[in-house]
């Protein structure tokens, strides 16, 4: 099976599962699930298959740096959501993401230092966010909601992997973590159920990104030495452990308290 077929099959399965799980357990849970590397991990896998292990590892380093922009996006959206409509919150947050990405484009930091900066940025964003509301909604979503999410995700992965050789590994990495599905989740929650639920999405995303940071650290550090199968298996295991520990450390009362505190 070629990589295009894998992209077309794998992406809808991943994002379909995340969207359905979020509908059942609330917006913060969907945000936390979207923060998992469901877009960027397949991108890295396909880049490793198409362009080599070192290219994919360098891209993983770029994604780590791009996580800082993602944290800023979530914070700006959450701070504006209580006072503006979803479209304006999205526009300003996207502008902040773009400015931060441009500033990081020429940054060259040692990998351990970069990871430390990312974790501090995520913790600061979570601390500065207003409270949210993680109650699952009983509102029926339109029939096209899930197909639209899947179509956009699949198109994004195909586009990024196709453009990667022209963009280079660092810029590809910075662009890859753009919170596309975070935006979709938050905008729908904001428009349909109010700003508190959109804020809860953002809190879930930032919390989830803390664990996801370790996925890209492992890939950036070890992919050329360990190969695809071992590196990705190790990265997934470390990420799941880090996700669990970050949730417990940030809130002794549990995930629901974290997302509404």
């Amino acid at each position: 099976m070629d990589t295009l077929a894998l992209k077309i099959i794998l992406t809808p399965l991943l994002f379909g599962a995340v969207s359905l799980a979020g509908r059942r357990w609330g917006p913060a849970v969907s945000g936390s699930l979207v923060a998992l590397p469901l877009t960027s991990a397949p991108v890295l896998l396909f880049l490793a298959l198409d362009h080599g292990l070192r290219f994919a590892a360098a891209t993983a380093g770029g994604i780590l740096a791009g996580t800082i922009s993602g944290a800023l996006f979530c914070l700006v959206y959450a701070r504006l959501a209580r006072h503006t409509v979803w479209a304006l919150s999205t526009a300003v947050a996207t502008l902040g993401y773009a400015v931060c990405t441009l500033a990081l484009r020429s940054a060259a930091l040692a990998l351990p230092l970069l990871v430390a900066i990312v974790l501090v940025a995520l913790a600061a964003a979570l601390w500065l966010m207003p409270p949210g509301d993680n109650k699952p909604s009983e509102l029926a979503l339109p029939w096209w909601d899930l197909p639209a999410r899947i179509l956009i995700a699949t198109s994004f992965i195909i586009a990024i992997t196709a453009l990667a050789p022209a963009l280079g590994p660092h810029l590809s990495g910075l662009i890859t973590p753009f919170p596309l599905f975070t935006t979709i989740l938050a905008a729908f929650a904001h428009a349909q159920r109010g700003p508190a639920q959109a804020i809860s999405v953002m809190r879930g995303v930032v919390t989830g990104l803390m664990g996801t940071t370790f996925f890209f650290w492992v890939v950036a550090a070890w992919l050329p030495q360990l190969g695809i199968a071992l590196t990705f298996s190790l990265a997934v295991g470390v990420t799941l452990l880090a996700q669990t520990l970050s949730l417990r450390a940030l809130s002794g009362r549990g995930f629901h308290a974290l997302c509404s505190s």
Side-chain angles (χ1 to χ4, degrees):
M1 183 180 294
D2 60 25
T3 56
L4 179 59
L6 283 173
K7 296 169 194 175
I8 294 173
I9 294 172
L10 182 59
T11 305
L13 290 176
L14 290 173
F15 278 98
V18 166
S19 297
L20 292 174
R23 289 181 184 181
R24 179 171 181 177
W25 290 301
V29 174
S30 65
S32 180
L33 292 173
V34 165
L36 292 170
L38 299 174
T39 299
S40 44
V43 167
L44 288 174
L45 174 61
F46 299 134
L47 289 178
L49 293 172
D50 293 340
H51 305 293
L53 301 185
R54 294 192 179 278
F55 188 99
T59 302
I63 293 175
L64 264 177
T67 303
I68 300 172
S69 301
L72 179 63
F73 178 96
C74 292
L75 177 60
V76 171
Y77 190 107
R79 300 294 298 184
L80 290 176
R82 295 179 297 175
H83 310 291
T84 64
V85 297
W86 68 267
L88 183 57
S89 297
T90 300
V92 177
T94 301
L95 178 61
Y97 182 95
V99 171
C100 188
T101 298
L102 289 174
L104 291 168
R105 184 175 181 180
S106 58
L109 300 173
L111 192 57
L113 177 60
L114 177 59
V115 171
I117 292 173
V118 168
L119 291 175
V120 169
L122 291 171
L126 189 62
W127 181 64
L128 292 171
M129 279 190 187
D133 177 15
N134 191 42
K135 295 179 181 177
S137 175
E138 299 179 356
L139 182 66
L141 295 175
W143 66 267
W144 46 263
D145 177 83
L146 186 58
R149 298 182 188 198
I150 290 173
L151 177 62
I152 294 172
T154 305
S155 300
F156 180 72
I157 286 181
I158 292 174
I160 287 294
T161 51
L163 292 172
L167 297 175
H170 188 65
L171 185 55
S172 296
L174 287 171
I175 293 173
T176 296
F178 177 76
L180 178 67
F181 270 79
T182 298
T183 302
I184 295 173
L185 289 172
F188 270 85
H190 196 163
Q192 296 172 346
R193 301 185 292 275
Q197 295 242 328
I199 293 169
S200 193
V201 170
M202 296 304 183
R203 293 183 69 90
V205 169
V206 172
T207 303
L209 284 174
M210 290 187 176
T212 301
T213 296
F214 292 92
F215 179 92
F216 302 114
W217 187 4
V218 171
V219 174
W222 297 108
L223 182 59
Q225 292 81 18
L226 300 181
I228 292 175
L230 184 56
T231 300
F232 276 81
S233 298
L234 179 62
V236 169
V238 171
T239 299
L240 293 177
L241 177 61
Q243 289 278 28
T244 301
L245 293 177
S246 66
L247 290 175
R248 290 180 178 178
L250 285 168
S251 176
R253 295 173 295 164
F255 187 76
H256 177 75
L258 171 65
C259 295
S260 58
S261 61

